[in-house]
Amino acid sequence: MTGKLRWRRVLVKLSGEALMGSQDFGIDPETVGRVAKEIAEAVSLGAQVGVVVGGGNIFRGVAIAAKGGNRVTGDHMGMLATVMNSLTLADALRRLGVPARVLSAVPVPSICETFTQRGAERYMEDGDVIVFAGGTGNPFFTTDSGAALRAAEMRCDAFLKGTSVDGVYSDDPKKVPDAERYDTLTPGEVLGRDLKVMDATAIALARDNAIPVIVFSIRTPGALVDVMNGSGRYTVIAD
Ligand code: UDP
């Protein structure tokens, strides 16, 4: 089965909102189960999968900073939100029979293991899905940057960014119906045109480590497996 995979080791980045379903906030267990199933199918093809989930469905540091609160404290809270999301996703994966581990950049040893590159490498080689929690472990970063960092550390073949649409557009396609959709872009084009895919740090980190960024819709059933097979609809960001 592994022969037909376009990428063997991948980092899948999902925003916290991907776990929200139709709710305005928090975690919808049914949606988490659906996302876990998509990941489980990719694993069954023989892929080695790392996952980073954001925390925006629960908390973002800028929300507290915007109201005069302490940004660093807010970011700490945001990182803890990613731990919560990671725990529920790993749990859903295990219920599907997929061995999954949460490794957190923020040590919470009574709840999950602390991230080390060597530990993660070992688990990935064993075929476990690693859910990387806590972003980079530092304030003033995003989980996109955390995901690009882990993709580089784990020498992933691709960074798969699951969004609510099927690629990168010149404008928000939900607001601008005639927005142009791109099949391919270079990181320089993304940065130069200020396309809202992910933050500049994440794009630059992926570019500097020659990791292609694949933007696809996590809302489309089967899309992740299609991406792994090199079919389906997505935008490739690479030089
Ligand atoms: N965060 C942080 N450092 C990191 C990653 C995340 O401080 O390395 C905090 C930050 O407050 C951020 C929140 O965690 O707003 C949730 O992450 P993010 O906004 O990236 O989540 P997403 O938009 O992907 O759901």
Side-chain angles (χ1 to χ4, degrees), residues 13 15-16 54-56 59-61 74-75 78-79 135-139 141-143:
K13 165 71 210 316
S15 71
F59 201 81
R60 284 201 176 94
D75 282 344
M79 286 187 264
T136 63
N138 297 288
F141 284 93
T142 64
T143 51

Side-chain angles (χ1 to χ4, degrees), residues 17-124:
E17 285 167 6
L19 306 185
M20 218 161 59
S22 55
Q23 302 172 179
D24 296 331
F25 172 85
I27 295 167
D28 172 41
E30 207 178 301
T31 306
V32 176
R34 196 186 60 72
V35 169
K37 197 161 155 276
E38 298 284 322
I39 295 169
E41 280 169 17
V43 173
S44 74
L45 298 176
Q48 293 181 345
V49 181
V51 188
V52 168
V53 200
N57 56 322
I58 300 171
F59 201 81
R60 284 201 176 94
V62 286
I64 210 166
K67 292 183 180 158
N70 184 315
R71 169 72 190 266
V72 174
T73 304
D75 282 344
H76 288 162
M77 294 164 72
M79 286 187 264
L80 291 175
T82 73
V83 176
M84 293 167 70
N85 283 336
S86 300
L87 290 171
T88 192
L89 184 60
D91 185 53
L93 283 163
R94 284 191 291 262
R95 270 186 280 124
L96 293 171
V98 177
R101 291 172 188 269
V102 177
L103 301 186
S104 176
V106 178
V108 267
S110 55
I111 293 179
C112 62
E113 289 177 60
T114 303
F115 169 78
T116 63
Q117 193 277 338
R118 284 169 66 189
E121 182 67 48
R122 221 172 30 239
Y123 292 142
M124 265 197 153

Side-chain angles (χ1 to χ4, degrees), residues 119-199:
E121 182 67 48
R122 221 172 30 239
Y123 292 142
M124 265 197 153
E125 286 295 337
D126 286 350
D128 295 359
V129 171
I130 310 293
V131 187
F132 297 103
T136 63
N138 297 288
F140 301 103
F141 284 93
T142 64
T143 51
D144 281 345
S145 294
L149 178 63
R150 296 294 178 245
E153 283 180 289
M154 303 310 296
R155 291 170 287 103
C156 288
D157 302 319
F159 177 136
L160 311 183
K161 161 103 176 154
T163 72
S164 59
V165 289
D166 59 356
V168 181
Y169 287 77
S170 57
D171 226 314
D172 183 349
K174 289 173 186 155
K175 293 181 191 149
V176 183
D178 60 354
E180 186 187 351
R181 184 184 169 283
Y182 306 103
D183 281 331
T184 58
L185 285 163
T186 65
E189 286 169 337
V190 173
L191 295 171
R193 294 182 205 171
D194 198 20
L195 297 170
K196 306 284 179 235
V197 187
M198 55 174 77
D199 60 83

